[in-house]
Amino acid sequence: MIHIRFSNNHYGGEIDLSGTPGDLRNIGQSILELFEAQDVQVCIPANEVDPAPYDSCLNLLLIRKSDCPVKVMVAGSSLKIEGTPEKLKVFADWFNFGDSTESGYHNHFDYYEGNEWVDPASVSLIISVQ
């Protein structure tokens, strides 16, 4: 099961989304299946754990189709990620970790100047292997 930790202490916040390599691949697969099923969104529950060194835990991951670049945000107690189908399909690959990936390995998904794939208002996301 995945864990989502959140701190809102700098630059609009930071989120750590973590799980085993299989858990993370399942998220990527869920994103791809979202388009095959023609659904509007997919909901993935998260386990609550000790948030340290972050401030709190979020209990749900919502991935939703929209007409904007990929945007990562916090909505209540949920991590919400939205974007165009084309951009979300590319984003799904960020969750492709092999079974031998060591715990602690992670990717940063952030906006940078000139990046048209990520919304400038997007919260910094770290995708971590447990």
Side-chain angles (χ1 to χ4, degrees), residues 85-127:
E86 175 191 23
K87 289 176 174 59
L88 284 175
K89 286 178 184 176
V90 172
F91 178 68
D93 198 44
W94 283 75
F95 296 91
N96 192 14
F97 293 92
D99 286 332
S100 62
T101 306
E102 293 186 26
S103 178
Y105 184 84
H106 62 278
N107 293 324
H108 290 259
F109 184 82
D110 299 302
Y111 173 77
Y112 57 85
E113 186 78 27
N115 184 345
E116 50 191 56
W117 286 81
V118 181
D119 188 286
S122 190
V123 176
S124 177
L125 175 65
I126 300 169
I127 303 167

Side-chain angles (χ1 to χ4, degrees), residues 47-91:
N47 270 356
E48 192 161 323
V49 293
D50 179 5
Y54 292 83
D55 298 328
S56 62
C57 286
L58 304 176
N59 60 20
L60 191 62
L61 170 60
L62 297 170
I63 302 168
R64 184 173 178 83
K65 290 188 258 185
S66 72
D67 60 355
C68 67
V70 176
K71 184 174 183 181
V72 177
M73 65 196 107
V74 174
S77 61
S78 299
L79 168 57
K80 184 177 175 186
I81 300 172
E82 62 182 27
T84 65
E86 175 191 23
K87 289 176 174 59
L88 284 175
K89 286 178 184 176
V90 172
F91 178 68

Side-chain angles (χ1 to χ4, degrees), residues 2 14 44 58 95 102 129-130:
I2 64 170
E14 182 177 87
I44 302 169
L58 304 176
F95 296 91
E102 293 186 26
V129 175
Q130 294 178 358

Side-chain angles (χ1 to χ4, degrees), residues 13-60:
E14 182 177 87
I15 299 166
D16 179 75
L17 169 58
S18 63
T20 66
D23 293 334
L24 297 172
R25 282 193 309 272
N26 286 340
I27 292 171
Q29 187 60 41
S30 293
I31 294 169
L32 296 175
E33 290 171 0
L34 175 66
F35 305 109
E36 293 171 10
Q38 301 298 314
D39 292 333
V40 175
Q41 74 178 16
V42 64
C43 301
I44 302 169
N47 270 356
E48 192 161 323
V49 293
D50 179 5
Y54 292 83
D55 298 328
S56 62
C57 286
L58 304 176
N59 60 20
L60 191 62

